[in-house]
Amino acid sequence: VDFAAVRDWPGYYRVMLGKPPRETLVEALDRFDREGSAAADGGRRAVDLGCGEGRDTLELLRRGWRVLAIDDHPEAARLLAGRVPVDQRPRLEMRTAPFHAMDWSGVDLVNASFALPFCAPGLFPALWSAIVGSIRPGGRFAGQFFGDRDSWAELPDRTHLTEAEVRTLLAAFDVETFRIDERDDADARGAPKHWHVFHVVARKR
Ligand SMILES: C[S@@+](CC[C@H](N)C(=O)[O-])C[C@H]1O[C@@H](n2cnc3c(N)ncnc32)[C@H](O)[C@@H]1O
């Protein structure tokens, strides 16, 4: 079975280590750069939810952002800490905690790459409203939602959504990217898997 199917996060991090940042994050950052709006004092602020081994947090730091990186697996913070260039370290805050136990506000970006599906369904609505409420007008959400036809939708501890449900979640945003990736393929270990993923970049009104 796939690492993510069984939440074998250290196994997942080993496979992902050294991979480039996710496309949704890069698209969001490029949009901020194109807008060229002056960043607030101290630079732009992002939350990286479910940061894992840090592929996206490292890109945010490299581009001058301040980052709150959250992941409830202790191996994530340990790996990430070892990969951050010393001069960028002051712009990073790491928390080993579940998403729903965290509190932040007034950020320019909430990035959640392949992370929100792992939130328990009962906790998801409150988490999503906290995310929406924490993004300043003109700020962005970037990340993935898993669809109802994905093989893992049957796992009871996962949040999988229909396309209509995802679009409803984005009501307070102008949607800039909405890519649907649905296909039969293999999981990280080569077993057959039906993927149904929504890739989203959206700007808060
Ligand atoms: C599939 S990995 C994605 C990692 C990285 N963002 C990426 O794009 O490769 C999901 C990550 O979410 C974290 N995670 C899962 N459930 C979580 C929760 N309830 N609170 C905080 N982190 C969680 C896991 O520890 C894991 O690092």
Side-chain angles (χ1 to χ4, degrees), residues 4 7 9 12-13 16 22 48-53 55-56 70-73 76 97-100 113-115 118-119:
R7 296 181 189 252
W9 298 126
Y12 184 89
Y13 304 151
M16 293 299 167
R22 299 286 184 183
D48 189 10
L49 283 179
C51 62
E53 85 300 337
R55 56 196 297 176
D56 287 354
I70 299 171
D71 200 295
D72 68 355
H73 200 292
F99 315 127
H100 63 270
S113 291
F114 294 90
F118 301 98
C119 177

PDB file of all heavy atoms in Angstrom, residues 4 7 9 12-13 16 22 48-53 55-56 70-73 76 97-100 113-115 118-119, ligand 1:
ATOM      1  N   ALA A   4       0.968   7.216   1.896  1.00  0.00           N
ATOM      2  CA  ALA A   4      -0.062   8.152   2.353  1.00  0.00           C
ATOM      3  C   ALA A   4      -1.342   7.416   2.740  1.00  0.00           C
ATOM      4  O   ALA A   4      -2.076   7.856   3.612  1.00  0.00           O
ATOM      5  CB  ALA A   4      -0.355   9.191   1.274  1.00  0.00           C
ATOM      6  N   ARG A   7      -0.649   6.446   6.146  1.00  0.00           N
ATOM      7  CA  ARG A   7      -0.022   7.525   6.921  1.00  0.00           C
ATOM      8  C   ARG A   7       1.382   7.137   7.400  1.00  0.00           C
ATOM      9  O   ARG A   7       1.761   7.434   8.531  1.00  0.00           O
ATOM     10  CB  ARG A   7      -0.889   7.926   8.126  1.00  0.00           C
ATOM     11  CG  ARG A   7      -2.239   8.519   7.722  1.00  0.00           C
ATOM     12  CD  ARG A   7      -3.035   8.913   8.947  1.00  0.00           C
ATOM     13  NE  ARG A   7      -4.392   9.292   8.595  1.00  0.00           N
ATOM     14  CZ  ARG A   7      -4.862  10.547   8.620  1.00  0.00           C
ATOM     15  NH1 ARG A   7      -4.095  11.537   9.012  1.00  0.00           N
ATOM     16  NH2 ARG A   7      -6.106  10.805   8.290  1.00  0.00           N
ATOM     17  N   TRP A   9       4.288   8.484   7.216  1.00  0.00           N
ATOM     18  CA  TRP A   9       4.866   9.758   6.775  1.00  0.00           C
ATOM     19  C   TRP A   9       6.376   9.711   6.647  1.00  0.00           C
ATOM     20  O   TRP A   9       6.921  10.232   5.670  1.00  0.00           O
ATOM     21  CB  TRP A   9       4.375  10.910   7.658  1.00  0.00           C
ATOM     22  CG  TRP A   9       2.877  11.072   7.567  1.00  0.00           C
ATOM     23  CD1 TRP A   9       1.984  11.093   8.597  1.00  0.00           C
ATOM     24  CD2 TRP A   9       2.072  11.209   6.374  1.00  0.00           C
ATOM     25  NE1 TRP A   9       0.697  11.221   8.126  1.00  0.00           N
ATOM     26  CE2 TRP A   9       0.724  11.290   6.777  1.00  0.00           C
ATOM     27  CE3 TRP A   9       2.368  11.238   5.016  1.00  0.00           C
ATOM     28  CZ2 TRP A   9      -0.324  11.425   5.865  1.00  0.00           C
ATOM     29  CZ3 TRP A   9       1.332  11.374   4.107  1.00  0.00           C
ATOM     30  CH2 TRP A   9       0.002  11.464   4.531  1.00  0.00           C
ATOM     31  N   TYR A  12       7.022   8.335   3.347  1.00  0.00           N
ATOM     32  CA  TYR A  12       6.638   9.330   2.341  1.00  0.00           C
ATOM     33  C   TYR A  12       7.734  10.395   2.199  1.00  0.00           C
ATOM     34  O   TYR A  12       8.118  10.756   1.078  1.00  0.00           O
ATOM     35  CB  TYR A  12       5.319   9.961   2.782  1.00  0.00           C
ATOM     36  CG  TYR A  12       4.708  10.945   1.813  1.00  0.00           C
ATOM     37  CD1 TYR A  12       3.839  10.522   0.810  1.00  0.00           C
ATOM     38  CD2 TYR A  12       4.974  12.306   1.917  1.00  0.00           C
ATOM     39  CE1 TYR A  12       3.265  11.429  -0.057  1.00  0.00           C
ATOM     40  CE2 TYR A  12       4.402  13.214   1.053  1.00  0.00           C
ATOM     41  CZ  TYR A  12       3.549  12.775   0.065  1.00  0.00           C
ATOM     42  OH  TYR A  12       2.978  13.677  -0.799  1.00  0.00           O
ATOM     43  N   TYR A  13       8.252  10.878   3.329  1.00  0.00           N
ATOM     44  CA  TYR A  13       9.278  11.938   3.275  1.00  0.00           C
ATOM     45  C   TYR A  13      10.527  11.436   2.558  1.00  0.00           C
ATOM     46  O   TYR A  13      11.166  12.181   1.825  1.00  0.00           O
ATOM     47  CB  TYR A  13       9.664  12.422   4.682  1.00  0.00           C
ATOM     48  CG  TYR A  13       8.502  12.915   5.522  1.00  0.00           C
ATOM     49  CD1 TYR A  13       8.538  12.823   6.914  1.00  0.00           C
ATOM     50  CD2 TYR A  13       7.372  13.483   4.935  1.00  0.00           C
ATOM     51  CE1 TYR A  13       7.483  13.273   7.695  1.00  0.00           C
ATOM     52  CE2 TYR A  13       6.309  13.925   5.706  1.00  0.00           C
ATOM     53  CZ  TYR A  13       6.375  13.817   7.088  1.00  0.00           C
ATOM     54  OH  TYR A  13       5.332  14.247   7.859  1.00  0.00           O
ATOM     55  N   MET A  16       9.948  11.728  -1.084  1.00  0.00           N
ATOM     56  CA  MET A  16       9.746  13.101  -1.563  1.00  0.00           C
ATOM     57  C   MET A  16      10.984  13.985  -1.401  1.00  0.00           C
ATOM     58  O   MET A  16      11.083  15.038  -2.035  1.00  0.00           O
ATOM     59  CB  MET A  16       8.590  13.757  -0.805  1.00  0.00           C
ATOM     60  CG  MET A  16       7.249  13.132  -1.095  1.00  0.00           C
ATOM     61  SD  MET A  16       6.839  13.273  -2.867  1.00  0.00           S
ATOM     62  CE  MET A  16       5.453  12.157  -2.983  1.00  0.00           C
ATOM     63  N   ARG A  22       5.554  22.185  -5.070  1.00  0.00           N
ATOM     64  CA  ARG A  22       4.324  21.836  -5.788  1.00  0.00           C
ATOM     65  C   ARG A  22       3.939  22.954  -6.758  1.00  0.00           C
ATOM     66  O   ARG A  22       4.097  24.139  -6.448  1.00  0.00           O
ATOM     67  CB  ARG A  22       3.180  21.630  -4.792  1.00  0.00           C
ATOM     68  CG  ARG A  22       3.425  20.510  -3.792  1.00  0.00           C
ATOM     69  CD  ARG A  22       3.287  19.166  -4.437  1.00  0.00           C
ATOM     70  NE  ARG A  22       3.432  18.082  -3.449  1.00  0.00           N
ATOM     71  CZ  ARG A  22       3.411  16.798  -3.786  1.00  0.00           C
ATOM     72  NH1 ARG A  22       3.276  16.438  -5.044  1.00  0.00           N
ATOM     73  NH2 ARG A  22       3.541  15.863  -2.856  1.00  0.00           N
ATOM     74  N   ASP A  48       2.138  27.048   5.953  1.00  0.00           N
ATOM     75  CA  ASP A  48       2.263  25.829   5.154  1.00  0.00           C
ATOM     76  C   ASP A  48       1.702  24.684   5.989  1.00  0.00           C
ATOM     77  O   ASP A  48       2.341  24.206   6.928  1.00  0.00           O
ATOM     78  CB  ASP A  48       3.731  25.592   4.777  1.00  0.00           C
ATOM     79  CG  ASP A  48       3.889  24.458   3.759  1.00  0.00           C
ATOM     80  OD1 ASP A  48       2.860  23.998   3.201  1.00  0.00           O
ATOM     81  OD2 ASP A  48       5.040  24.040   3.516  1.00  0.00           O
ATOM     82  N   LEU A  49       0.476  24.273   5.646  1.00  0.00           N
ATOM     83  CA  LEU A  49      -0.227  23.236   6.419  1.00  0.00           C
ATOM     84  C   LEU A  49       0.183  21.846   5.939  1.00  0.00           C
ATOM     85  O   LEU A  49       0.096  21.563   4.747  1.00  0.00           O
ATOM     86  CB  LEU A  49      -1.733  23.382   6.236  1.00  0.00           C
ATOM     87  CG  LEU A  49      -2.441  24.494   6.998  1.00  0.00           C
ATOM     88  CD1 LEU A  49      -3.924  24.471   6.665  1.00  0.00           C
ATOM     89  CD2 LEU A  49      -2.234  24.330   8.492  1.00  0.00           C
ATOM     90  N   GLY A  50       0.606  21.010   6.856  1.00  0.00           N
ATOM     91  CA  GLY A  50       1.061  19.674   6.470  1.00  0.00           C
ATOM     92  C   GLY A  50       2.314  19.796   5.624  1.00  0.00           C
ATOM     93  O   GLY A  50       2.411  19.242   4.533  1.00  0.00           O
ATOM     94  N   CYS A  51       3.287  20.539   6.162  1.00  0.00           N
ATOM     95  CA  CYS A  51       4.485  20.914   5.384  1.00  0.00           C
ATOM     96  C   CYS A  51       5.342  19.707   5.015  1.00  0.00           C
ATOM     97  O   CYS A  51       6.128  19.773   4.081  1.00  0.00           O
ATOM     98  CB  CYS A  51       5.319  21.913   6.174  1.00  0.00           C
ATOM     99  SG  CYS A  51       5.923  21.244   7.744  1.00  0.00           S
ATOM    100  N   GLY A  52       5.212  18.606   5.762  1.00  0.00           N
ATOM    101  CA  GLY A  52       6.026  17.426   5.457  1.00  0.00           C
ATOM    102  C   GLY A  52       7.506  17.734   5.574  1.00  0.00           C
ATOM    103  O   GLY A  52       7.937  18.492   6.454  1.00  0.00           O
ATOM    104  N   GLU A  53       8.282  17.149   4.646  1.00  0.00           N
ATOM    105  CA  GLU A  53       9.740  17.324   4.709  1.00  0.00           C
ATOM    106  C   GLU A  53      10.167  18.720   4.245  1.00  0.00           C
ATOM    107  O   GLU A  53      11.335  19.064   4.361  1.00  0.00           O
ATOM    108  CB  GLU A  53      10.427  16.213   3.925  1.00  0.00           C
ATOM    109  CG  GLU A  53      10.579  16.428   2.431  1.00  0.00           C
ATOM    110  CD  GLU A  53       9.251  16.611   1.664  1.00  0.00           C
ATOM    111  OE1 GLU A  53       8.202  16.160   2.151  1.00  0.00           O
ATOM    112  OE2 GLU A  53       9.288  17.216   0.586  1.00  0.00           O
ATOM    113  N   ARG A  55       9.318  20.679   1.120  1.00  0.00           N
ATOM    114  CA  ARG A  55       9.563  21.130  -0.259  1.00  0.00           C
ATOM    115  C   ARG A  55       8.952  22.512  -0.524  1.00  0.00           C
ATOM    116  O   ARG A  55       9.568  23.328  -1.218  1.00  0.00           O
ATOM    117  CB  ARG A  55       9.022  20.105  -1.260  1.00  0.00           C
ATOM    118  CG  ARG A  55       7.561  19.792  -1.079  1.00  0.00           C
ATOM    119  CD  ARG A  55       7.106  18.521  -1.791  1.00  0.00           C
ATOM    120  NE  ARG A  55       7.223  18.573  -3.246  1.00  0.00           N
ATOM    121  CZ  ARG A  55       6.945  17.532  -4.028  1.00  0.00           C
ATOM    122  NH1 ARG A  55       6.539  16.391  -3.499  1.00  0.00           N
ATOM    123  NH2 ARG A  55       7.068  17.637  -5.333  1.00  0.00           N
ATOM    124  N   ASP A  56       7.749  22.794  -0.011  1.00  0.00           N
ATOM    125  CA  ASP A  56       7.099  24.091  -0.264  1.00  0.00           C
ATOM    126  C   ASP A  56       7.608  25.174   0.684  1.00  0.00           C
ATOM    127  O   ASP A  56       7.817  26.317   0.276  1.00  0.00           O
ATOM    128  CB  ASP A  56       5.580  23.959  -0.111  1.00  0.00           C
ATOM    129  CG  ASP A  56       4.941  23.200  -1.278  1.00  0.00           C
ATOM    130  OD1 ASP A  56       5.653  22.882  -2.254  1.00  0.00           O
ATOM    131  OD2 ASP A  56       3.728  22.930  -1.202  1.00  0.00           O
ATOM    132  N   ILE A  70       3.381  23.925   9.673  1.00  0.00           N
ATOM    133  CA  ILE A  70       2.654  23.099  10.638  1.00  0.00           C
ATOM    134  C   ILE A  70       2.563  21.668  10.130  1.00  0.00           C
ATOM    135  O   ILE A  70       2.181  21.424   8.978  1.00  0.00           O
ATOM    136  CB  ILE A  70       1.226  23.655  10.851  1.00  0.00           C
ATOM    137  CG1 ILE A  70       1.300  25.072  11.413  1.00  0.00           C
ATOM    138  CG2 ILE A  70       0.419  22.737  11.772  1.00  0.00           C
ATOM    139  CD1 ILE A  70      -0.055  25.779  11.442  1.00  0.00           C
ATOM    140  N   ASP A  71       2.917  20.730  10.987  1.00  0.00           N
ATOM    141  CA  ASP A  71       2.739  19.316  10.652  1.00  0.00           C
ATOM    142  C   ASP A  71       2.712  18.560  11.970  1.00  0.00           C
ATOM    143  O   ASP A  71       3.475  18.872  12.876  1.00  0.00           O
ATOM    144  CB  ASP A  71       3.900  18.810   9.776  1.00  0.00           C
ATOM    145  CG  ASP A  71       3.530  17.539   9.020  1.00  0.00           C
ATOM    146  OD1 ASP A  71       3.300  16.500   9.688  1.00  0.00           O
ATOM    147  OD2 ASP A  71       3.456  17.582   7.769  1.00  0.00           O
ATOM    148  N   ASP A  72       1.835  17.577  12.078  1.00  0.00           N
ATOM    149  CA  ASP A  72       1.758  16.900  13.380  1.00  0.00           C
ATOM    150  C   ASP A  72       2.720  15.720  13.507  1.00  0.00           C
ATOM    151  O   ASP A  72       2.816  15.116  14.571  1.00  0.00           O
ATOM    152  CB  ASP A  72       0.317  16.518  13.751  1.00  0.00           C
ATOM    153  CG  ASP A  72      -0.274  15.431  12.864  1.00  0.00           C
ATOM    154  OD1 ASP A  72       0.394  15.022  11.886  1.00  0.00           O
ATOM    155  OD2 ASP A  72      -1.401  15.008  13.146  1.00  0.00           O
ATOM    156  N   HIS A  73       3.456  15.410  12.429  1.00  0.00           N
ATOM    157  CA  HIS A  73       4.467  14.355  12.577  1.00  0.00           C
ATOM    158  C   HIS A  73       5.822  14.963  12.950  1.00  0.00           C
ATOM    159  O   HIS A  73       6.337  15.804  12.210  1.00  0.00           O
ATOM    160  CB  HIS A  73       4.592  13.530  11.299  1.00  0.00           C
ATOM    161  CG  HIS A  73       5.231  12.197  11.561  1.00  0.00           C
ATOM    162  ND1 HIS A  73       6.552  12.072  11.930  1.00  0.00           N
ATOM    163  CD2 HIS A  73       4.719  10.946  11.590  1.00  0.00           C
ATOM    164  CE1 HIS A  73       6.832  10.798  12.138  1.00  0.00           C
ATOM    165  NE2 HIS A  73       5.732  10.092  11.939  1.00  0.00           N
ATOM    166  N   ALA A  76       8.695  15.616  10.437  1.00  0.00           N
ATOM    167  CA  ALA A  76       8.610  16.710   9.458  1.00  0.00           C
ATOM    168  C   ALA A  76       9.471  17.887   9.920  1.00  0.00           C
ATOM    169  O   ALA A  76      10.329  18.369   9.175  1.00  0.00           O
ATOM    170  CB  ALA A  76       7.151  17.136   9.272  1.00  0.00           C
ATOM    171  N   ALA A  97       2.032  20.041  15.462  1.00  0.00           N
ATOM    172  CA  ALA A  97       0.678  20.061  16.030  1.00  0.00           C
ATOM    173  C   ALA A  97      -0.319  19.721  14.943  1.00  0.00           C
ATOM    174  O   ALA A  97      -0.043  19.927  13.760  1.00  0.00           O
ATOM    175  CB  ALA A  97       0.372  21.450  16.585  1.00  0.00           C
ATOM    176  N   PRO A  98      -1.500  19.209  15.331  1.00  0.00           N
ATOM    177  CA  PRO A  98      -2.550  18.992  14.319  1.00  0.00           C
ATOM    178  C   PRO A  98      -3.081  20.323  13.800  1.00  0.00           C
ATOM    179  O   PRO A  98      -3.119  21.307  14.553  1.00  0.00           O
ATOM    180  CB  PRO A  98      -3.634  18.213  15.062  1.00  0.00           C
ATOM    181  CG  PRO A  98      -3.325  18.318  16.504  1.00  0.00           C
ATOM    182  CD  PRO A  98      -1.907  18.772  16.667  1.00  0.00           C
ATOM    183  N   PHE A  99      -3.473  20.347  12.526  1.00  0.00           N
ATOM    184  CA  PHE A  99      -3.972  21.599  11.912  1.00  0.00           C
ATOM    185  C   PHE A  99      -4.995  22.293  12.794  1.00  0.00           C
ATOM    186  O   PHE A  99      -4.936  23.492  12.992  1.00  0.00           O
ATOM    187  CB  PHE A  99      -4.744  21.349  10.604  1.00  0.00           C
ATOM    188  CG  PHE A  99      -4.158  20.402   9.632  1.00  0.00           C
ATOM    189  CD1 PHE A  99      -4.915  19.337   9.149  1.00  0.00           C
ATOM    190  CD2 PHE A  99      -2.879  20.592   9.140  1.00  0.00           C
ATOM    191  CE1 PHE A  99      -4.403  18.470   8.201  1.00  0.00           C
ATOM    192  CE2 PHE A  99      -2.364  19.727   8.193  1.00  0.00           C
ATOM    193  CZ  PHE A  99      -3.131  18.660   7.730  1.00  0.00           C
ATOM    194  N   HIS A 100      -5.969  21.500  13.253  1.00  0.00           N
ATOM    195  CA  HIS A 100      -7.141  22.109  13.893  1.00  0.00           C
ATOM    196  C   HIS A 100      -6.802  22.720  15.250  1.00  0.00           C
ATOM    197  O   HIS A 100      -7.590  23.488  15.786  1.00  0.00           O
ATOM    198  CB  HIS A 100      -8.262  21.082  14.025  1.00  0.00           C
ATOM    199  CG  HIS A 100      -7.905  19.925  14.896  1.00  0.00           C
ATOM    200  ND1 HIS A 100      -7.323  18.791  14.400  1.00  0.00           N
ATOM    201  CD2 HIS A 100      -8.009  19.749  16.229  1.00  0.00           C
ATOM    202  CE1 HIS A 100      -7.108  17.948  15.397  1.00  0.00           C
ATOM    203  NE2 HIS A 100      -7.506  18.511  16.514  1.00  0.00           N
ATOM    204  N   SER A 113      -0.583  21.651   0.535  1.00  0.00           N
ATOM    205  CA  SER A 113      -0.315  20.724  -0.564  1.00  0.00           C
ATOM    206  C   SER A 113      -0.566  19.291  -0.109  1.00  0.00           C
ATOM    207  O   SER A 113       0.120  18.792   0.795  1.00  0.00           O
ATOM    208  CB  SER A 113       1.137  20.861  -1.031  1.00  0.00           C
ATOM    209  OG  SER A 113       1.344  22.102  -1.665  1.00  0.00           O
ATOM    210  N   PHE A 114      -1.575  18.640  -0.719  1.00  0.00           N
ATOM    211  CA  PHE A 114      -1.887  17.245  -0.414  1.00  0.00           C
ATOM    212  C   PHE A 114      -1.996  17.018   1.093  1.00  0.00           C
ATOM    213  O   PHE A 114      -1.502  16.022   1.618  1.00  0.00           O
ATOM    214  CB  PHE A 114      -0.831  16.308  -1.035  1.00  0.00           C
ATOM    215  CG  PHE A 114      -0.843  16.321  -2.539  1.00  0.00           C
ATOM    216  CD1 PHE A 114      -0.054  17.222  -3.254  1.00  0.00           C
ATOM    217  CD2 PHE A 114      -1.671  15.461  -3.242  1.00  0.00           C
ATOM    218  CE1 PHE A 114      -0.082  17.237  -4.646  1.00  0.00           C
ATOM    219  CE2 PHE A 114      -1.698  15.471  -4.632  1.00  0.00           C
ATOM    220  CZ  PHE A 114      -0.900  16.367  -5.339  1.00  0.00           C
ATOM    221  N   ALA A 115      -2.600  17.950   1.786  1.00  0.00           N
ATOM    222  CA  ALA A 115      -2.652  17.893   3.254  1.00  0.00           C
ATOM    223  C   ALA A 115      -4.079  17.818   3.800  1.00  0.00           C
ATOM    224  O   ALA A 115      -4.360  17.024   4.701  1.00  0.00           O
ATOM    225  CB  ALA A 115      -1.931  19.112   3.836  1.00  0.00           C
ATOM    226  N   PHE A 118      -6.251  14.687   4.738  1.00  0.00           N
ATOM    227  CA  PHE A 118      -5.888  13.892   5.911  1.00  0.00           C
ATOM    228  C   PHE A 118      -6.490  14.445   7.191  1.00  0.00           C
ATOM    229  O   PHE A 118      -6.261  13.914   8.279  1.00  0.00           O
ATOM    230  CB  PHE A 118      -4.358  13.767   5.993  1.00  0.00           C
ATOM    231  CG  PHE A 118      -3.800  13.111   4.761  1.00  0.00           C
ATOM    232  CD1 PHE A 118      -3.275  13.872   3.727  1.00  0.00           C
ATOM    233  CD2 PHE A 118      -3.878  11.738   4.599  1.00  0.00           C
ATOM    234  CE1 PHE A 118      -2.810  13.273   2.556  1.00  0.00           C
ATOM    235  CE2 PHE A 118      -3.430  11.128   3.440  1.00  0.00           C
ATOM    236  CZ  PHE A 118      -2.883  11.894   2.413  1.00  0.00           C
ATOM    237  N   CYS A 119      -7.257  15.522   7.074  1.00  0.00           N
ATOM    238  CA  CYS A 119      -8.011  16.036   8.221  1.00  0.00           C
ATOM    239  C   CYS A 119      -9.251  15.159   8.404  1.00  0.00           C
ATOM    240  O   CYS A 119      -9.916  14.798   7.430  1.00  0.00           O
ATOM    241  CB  CYS A 119      -8.421  17.483   7.934  1.00  0.00           C
ATOM    242  SG  CYS A 119      -9.436  18.211   9.242  1.00  0.00           S
TER     243      CYS A 119
HETATM  244  C1  LIG B   1       0.804  13.731   1.781  1.00  0.00           C
HETATM  245  S1  LIG B   1       1.807  14.603   2.939  1.00  0.00           S
HETATM  246  C2  LIG B   1       2.096  16.129   2.067  1.00  0.00           C
HETATM  247  C3  LIG B   1       3.414  16.776   2.437  1.00  0.00           C
HETATM  248  C4  LIG B   1       3.795  17.999   1.596  1.00  0.00           C
HETATM  249  N1  LIG B   1       2.902  19.120   1.838  1.00  0.00           N
HETATM  250  C5  LIG B   1       3.795  17.651   0.135  1.00  0.00           C
HETATM  251  O1  LIG B   1       3.114  18.306  -0.650  1.00  0.00           O
HETATM  252  O2  LIG B   1       4.507  16.706  -0.256  1.00  0.00           O
HETATM  253  C6  LIG B   1       0.641  15.062   4.196  1.00  0.00           C
HETATM  254  C7  LIG B   1       1.275  15.703   5.421  1.00  0.00           C
HETATM  255  O3  LIG B   1       0.231  16.169   6.295  1.00  0.00           O
HETATM  256  C8  LIG B   1       0.563  15.849   7.628  1.00  0.00           C
HETATM  257  N2  LIG B   1      -0.694  15.703   8.363  1.00  0.00           N
HETATM  258  C9  LIG B   1      -1.664  14.779   8.148  1.00  0.00           C
HETATM  259  N3  LIG B   1      -2.692  14.977   8.968  1.00  0.00           N
HETATM  260  C10 LIG B   1      -2.378  16.087   9.724  1.00  0.00           C
HETATM  261  C11 LIG B   1      -3.052  16.808  10.746  1.00  0.00           C
HETATM  262  N4  LIG B   1      -4.268  16.454  11.147  1.00  0.00           N
HETATM  263  N5  LIG B   1      -2.428  17.883  11.292  1.00  0.00           N
HETATM  264  C12 LIG B   1      -1.188  18.249  10.863  1.00  0.00           C
HETATM  265  N6  LIG B   1      -0.515  17.613   9.891  1.00  0.00           N
HETATM  266  C13 LIG B   1      -1.099  16.537   9.342  1.00  0.00           C
HETATM  267  C14 LIG B   1       1.371  14.576   7.548  1.00  0.00           C
HETATM  268  O4  LIG B   1       2.191  14.407   8.688  1.00  0.00           O
HETATM  269  C15 LIG B   1       2.143  14.772   6.249  1.00  0.00           C
HETATM  270  O5  LIG B   1       3.386  15.369   6.487  1.00  0.00           O
END
